[in-house]
Amino acid sequence: MKKRLLSLLLAAACLMPLSGCNWGEEPEETYDTLSQYYQQSDSTKQDTRLTSFGLPYLQGETWDPITCADGAQQTLGALLYESLYTLGTDFLPQPCLAESASYDAESYALTVTVRSGVTFSDGSALTAWDVVAALRRAKESARYSQRLAEMDSVSYLGESTLRIYLTRNDPQFAARLDIPIIKGGTQEDTVPVGSGPYRYAKDESGVYLARRTDWWQDKTMPLERIELTACKNTDSMAYAFYTHDIQMLVCDLTGTNTSNVYGIGQRLHGFLNGCFVDEFDKVVLPGGVGGFGRGQAGDGEDGTFGGLHDGLVSGVNAFLLGHGQTAQFPLSPSAVVYPKDLEETYSPDSYRSAMETAGYTSGEKSVSVTMLVNEENSFKVSMARKLASDLSQYDVKIDVKTLPYEDYLAALKAGDFDLYYGECKLTADWDLSPLLSPGGALNYGGVRDTQLETLLTAFRTASEGEGRQTAARELCSYLKEQAPLVAVCFKSNSVLLPEGAVKNDIHPTVSDPFADFQDWQLNMKS
């Protein structure tokens, strides 16, 4: 009885919007500096022009983009280092240090030609060996090891050519290669040498970033000099922003720590049925905030019926400060492959009809279900309660149980829950195997479905274009019907600037807050 009910609820819930989030994040220190800053009125300020533009860095920490901590050094790295590919706002990979590439589906090999004429900030030329060394280090790093898990090896073929061998067929692997490249042999330096538009410099007044005059890209950056302020921790960074010692922060305003200074990105949130699946702590895409699903795909009621009211849109605005983009599938709505035509219109009447058909509107039954959520994140708790409230109708009641993160994770691994709400991060090729394939790192509930596996493989191995669009649509159609998981939204991190600092709109991407820095119209005093 309970299993059938959960299938019904989760199938109905699969018609709810989606958002991004991060699986298994550790709780961080908390502080109120930024919230105080935003509660303060700026109405008395007359002149919003900047006298300088400054950024923070963590004192005593490495700037190596492969091994540095999340946060300030990552933000600075976007100005110092470049990657083989960059991701646009549509999440499609665009060549940067890669001049060209070819993929062989039979040998699972991606051969990359490195762009000629690129120099590092010390004047030396970029070679394929620098890229090989960086990718090998990334493969062993905490930050990139999961992203590069299917990279079997990377070989140096010559001054401008390298080859990446994969463990499986994946023609979309280039979307994972927005990994910063440093000059080989400089990884032990506090600030490794990069090929980006700025270089690290110092003079009698302190340390700063200096605009390079020999940068290979034909773009003019808006500042000759960017001041740098040493900070001990995220608290001091927030205070430096509050006092205008620095003019920009990249942070996750709805993270475990609301003023968490963090690398820009998007994450997917959601919740899942734990009776047959222990898996939905997080689904992180480059964005997100919430979703849920049911245990074994194909087990239970048809996922096409039902539908809740679209209160999640208001929920994202109210509980996630608007930092979420609702969606109905575990693909960002900004992605080219997102099948918007498959979206459903939500209706309280259709939800009642589904519950009535299943026999849960008679008043003769009383079923209680528990949903777990990480208590350290108040935003997740609020969203979980919103979802539980919307679903707790007729003969069904869903209670939200908050747990400390370690206990929460232990419960997921043990399968000790009915539903859980969380977040996870997906790679930009939208590979869902960690969530839905047997043995997947995030497949806590052990989803096993042969048809789903076939569709996941077809989507992963499809070449860019119409074939991939078709594969994405077929996969999402199946997910919609079977509801092994249901997404709520994709969450975005934030670039914070003082009011009036930039006159025009800016367009940061998932990995680069300075993606269009050349177009920023900074409001500087003469």
Side-chain angles (χ1 to χ4, degrees):
M1 178 76 71
K2 189 173 183 180
K3 178 176 179 179
R4 184 167 182 258
L5 170 64
L6 287 173
S7 296
L8 170 65
L9 289 173
L10 292 167
C14 101
L15 298 180
M16 301 178 71
L18 177 91
S19 72
C21 64
N22 209 354
W23 293 89
E25 73 277 20
E26 295 287 344
E28 301 185 25
E29 57 185 327
T30 59
Y31 48 76
D32 297 323
T33 307
L34 282 181
S35 58
Q36 292 172 3
Y37 174 82
Y38 283 107
Q39 290 169 7
Q40 173 184 308
S41 171
D42 274 343
S43 59
T44 60
K45 296 182 180 179
Q46 300 298 321
D47 191 350
T48 59
R49 292 177 298 171
L50 303 176
T51 56
S52 64
F53 188 85
L55 296 171
Y57 69 95
L58 282 174
Q59 193 172 23
E61 299 289 335
T62 180
W63 293 37
D64 176 15
I66 303 296
T67 61
C68 71
D70 288 347
Q73 262 76 325
Q74 278 186 299
T75 299
L76 293 170
L79 296 171
L80 297 171
Y81 309 109
E82 296 173 301
S83 51
L84 286 175
Y85 292 88
T86 61
L87 295 175
T89 54
D90 57 3
F91 299 106
L92 292 178
Q94 304 295 326
C96 182
L97 296 181
E99 186 170 285
S100 62
S102 61
Y103 180 73
D104 180 29
E106 290 194 7
S107 60
Y108 305 167
L110 178 68
T111 302
V112 180
T113 300
V114 176
R115 190 179 297 276
S116 60
V118 177
T119 60
F120 289 108
S121 60
D122 65 356
S124 59
L126 169 77
T127 69
W129 178 249
D130 298 301
V131 178
V132 169
L135 292 182
R136 286 177 177 173
R137 291 180 59 237
K139 168 78 172 178
E140 301 301 319
S141 71
R143 174 173 291 120
Y144 295 113
S145 59
Q146 287 301 311
R147 186 192 299 195
L148 298 179
E150 67 185 66
M151 185 177 82
D152 187 50
S153 64
V154 54
S155 302
Y156 173 77
L157 301 184
E159 195 74 3
S160 61
T161 311
L162 62 128
R163 182 169 294 152
I164 299 171
Y165 289 96
L166 307 178
T167 58
R168 63 178 186 175
N169 187 17
D170 186 358
Q172 309 301 324
F173 191 74
R176 301 189 181 200
L177 295 178
D178 59 330
I179 296 173
I181 306 300
I182 67 170
K183 180 179 178 178
T186 68
Q187 62 270 17
E188 299 301 325
D189 298 346
T190 300
V191 184
V193 177
S195 64
Y198 286 83
R199 62 179 177 83
Y200 176 82
K202 62 175 65 177
D203 59 18
E204 64 280 355
S205 64
V207 297
Y208 62 98
L209 298 185
R211 184 168 65 185
R212 289 183 59 190
T213 58
D214 60 341
W215 186 41
W216 66 274
Q217 292 201 46
D218 187 21
K219 298 176 182 177
T220 301
M221 296 293 107
L223 293 168
E224 293 282 350
R225 176 178 176 131
I226 297 175
E227 305 298 335
L228 299 177
T229 297
C231 297
K232 293 182 179 180
N233 50 37
T234 53
D235 276 322
S236 58
M237 275 186 266
Y239 186 75
F241 184 73
Y242 173 79
T243 58
H244 303 290
D245 292 322
I246 61 175
Q247 283 67 48
M248 177 175 147
L249 279 179
V250 178
C251 59
D252 177 3
L253 291 174
T254 59
T256 299
N257 172 0
T258 59
S259 45
N260 174 26
V261 180
Y262 192 76
I264 190 166
Q266 295 179 313
R267 301 163 187 277
L268 166 68
H269 287 220
F271 67 87
L272 190 69
N273 180 353
C275 288
F276 342 113
V277 196
D278 353 341
E279 169 195 279
F280 204 71
D281 167 27
K282 327 183 233 190
V283 178
V284 176
L285 302 165
V289 164
F292 58 98
R294 108 176 151 244
Q296 297 292 349
D299 184 22
E301 304 291 335
D302 188 333
T304 57
F305 65 69
L308 302 173
H309 64 77
D310 52 356
L312 281 186
V313 175
S314 61
V316 168
N317 290 332
F319 303 130
L320 297 171
L321 310 179
H323 296 284
Q325 186 177 14
T326 59
Q328 294 181 27
F329 307 102
L331 310 171
S332 171
S334 298
V336 173
V337 293
Y338 184 82
K340 189 169 180 60
D341 63 309
L342 290 181
E343 289 187 335
E344 294 280 351
T345 300
Y346 315 118
S347 164
D349 291 337
S350 61
Y351 183 50
R352 176 179 176 81
S353 175
M355 298 295 282
E356 192 172 65
T357 300
Y360 286 94
T361 59
S362 64
E364 298 175 358
K365 300 177 182 179
S366 179
V367 180
S368 295
V369 178
T370 299
M371 180 190 297
L372 301 187
V373 65
N374 172 15
E375 71 179 21
E376 278 90 350
N377 189 291
S378 60
F379 300 98
K380 289 195 183 84
V381 172
S382 296
M383 285 298 294
R385 287 174 175 161
K386 165 68 173 172
L387 291 166
S389 175
D390 287 347
L391 288 168
S392 294
Q393 300 181 44
Y394 312 115
D395 299 340
V396 178
K397 178 175 176 53
I398 298 180
D399 295 309
V400 173
K401 182 178 180 180
T402 63
L403 291 174
Y405 178 73
E406 293 300 331
D407 295 341
Y408 168 74
L409 187 60
L412 296 186
K413 291 180 178 179
D416 187 17
F417 60 94
D418 297 321
L419 300 170
Y420 72 91
Y421 181 92
E423 68 175 36
C424 75
K425 185 171 186 177
L426 300 180
T427 48
D429 57 356
W430 310 115
D431 178 22
L432 301 179
S433 344
L435 285 165
L436 299 173
S437 291
L442 301 178
N443 187 0
Y444 297 129
V447 176
R448 292 180 179 274
D449 183 319
T450 303
Q451 179 62 18
L452 179 58
E453 277 292 293
T454 300
L455 292 170
L456 288 170
T457 300
F459 177 51
R460 189 187 72 244
T461 58
S463 298
E464 201 61 60
E466 186 176 343
R468 184 159 165 81
Q469 292 276 104
T470 300
R473 196 178 190 285
E474 291 177 350
L475 172 60
C476 289
S477 179
Y478 190 78
L479 292 175
K480 176 180 172 181
E481 295 294 322
Q482 302 301 322
L485 65 84
V486 178
V488 173
C489 71
F490 282 88
K491 187 184 72 178
S492 299
N493 291 341
S494 302
V495 175
L496 305 183
L497 294 156
E499 181 181 357
V502 181
K503 300 176 185 178
N504 60 326
D505 292 335
I506 65 173
H507 302 93
T509 65
V510 64
S511 57
D512 185 2
F514 298 102
D516 63 340
F517 196 40
Q518 70 279 359
D519 298 324
W520 287 24
Q521 297 174 20
L522 290 165
N523 190 13
M524 305 291 294
K525 287 185 179 179
S526 301

